[in-house]
Amino acid sequence: MRHHPEGAARYASEVSSVPIINAGDGANQHPTQTMLDLYSIFKTQGTLDNLTITIVGDLKYGRTVHSLIIGMSHFNPTFYFVAPEELRLPDTYKNFCDEHGITYEEHTEFSPEVMNKADILYMTRVQRERFTDLMEYEKVKNVYILRKDMLEGTKDNLKILHPRPRVNEIQQDV
């Protein structure tokens, strides 16, 4: 079930006589995307354990980001969170990382130093629909754009993931 009100899938599971799979509920979680992401990571890396994952873009509203953090928490990841101040990861998820002994760093600059440590580069779009002030959206929508030349010096095993839809955050030649 995919439905815009937060908690819709949970409510449906409580009143339904058949199992409900949460395919996304409002701005809350997106567990089916996380299952796909975990599968993709495992297929490309051969493991889920001890990976370094750099997550770039909309970390405040990105429900795929929030769900991936929770999903990877069982596999001793190291996270690098890259976002503008306005879209930083909510404290709820930083506290979750702290409580589960997950190493993470926050950055506002999408630098080679951060990228070159990554096994997985998880790019996200800035979600226009989450903004009430379009001027704020315009200010941050193109802050991070992955270009092909930025991949020089990255790990040989680096894989780039994106939960779609892509806007401008990954150039076509990548």
Side-chain angles (χ1 to χ4, degrees):
M1 174 181 179
R2 184 172 180 150
H3 202 41
H4 56 83
E6 292 180 19
R10 180 182 305 265
Y11 175 73
S13 73
E14 292 169 358
V15 298
S16 175
S17 61
V18 297
I20 302 293
I21 298 171
N22 184 353
D25 60 333
N28 192 19
Q29 296 289 323
H30 203 325
T32 51
Q33 179 68 48
T34 298
M35 292 300 293
L36 178 61
D37 291 338
L38 292 176
Y39 176 77
S40 298
I41 292 168
F42 182 79
K43 286 294 282 187
T44 63
Q45 301 297 318
T47 186
L48 292 172
D49 294 311
N50 305 307
L51 296 173
T52 299
I53 302 173
T54 298
I55 305 177
V56 181
D58 183 353
L59 309 188
K60 180 177 182 179
Y61 299 112
R63 61 191 180 151
T64 62
V65 169
H66 304 159
S67 293
L68 182 62
I69 291 167
I70 293 168
M72 283 299 299
S73 68
H74 305 281
F75 304 102
N76 193 39
T78 298
F79 287 115
Y80 289 90
F81 300 126
V82 181
E85 287 296 325
E86 299 87 347
L87 297 174
R88 290 178 62 206
L89 188 69
D91 288 341
T92 302
Y93 295 97
K94 290 185 271 186
N95 293 339
F96 178 87
C97 288
D98 292 337
E99 291 165 7
H100 289 84
I102 298 170
T103 303
Y104 68 92
E105 291 181 13
E106 292 185 277
H107 298 270
T108 55
E109 186 178 335
F110 190 24
S111 69
E113 293 77 28
V114 171
M115 262 190 63
N116 294 350
K117 295 176 185 178
D119 299 303
I120 298 295
L121 179 58
Y122 196 84
M123 297 294 296
T124 67
R125 72 181 171 96
V126 176
Q127 301 177 64
R128 182 174 169 229
E129 64 272 20
R130 304 284 185 221
F131 285 81
T132 55
D133 182 350
L134 282 182
M135 292 301 289
E136 284 296 311
Y137 169 74
E138 291 295 327
K139 183 175 146 185
V140 296
K141 72 176 184 177
N142 291 318
V143 172
Y144 307 118
I145 298 174
L146 180 61
R147 299 179 319 276
K148 190 173 183 178
D149 66 305
M150 296 169 71
L151 298 174
E152 293 175 20
T154 58
K155 290 182 172 183
D156 290 339
N157 69 319
L158 175 71
K159 298 298 180 241
I160 301 164
L161 274 70
H162 191 295
R164 307 286 293 167
R166 183 185 63 78
V167 183
N168 293 330
E169 58 282 348
I170 301 176
Q171 285 189 340
Q172 291 287 333
D173 63 349
V174 173

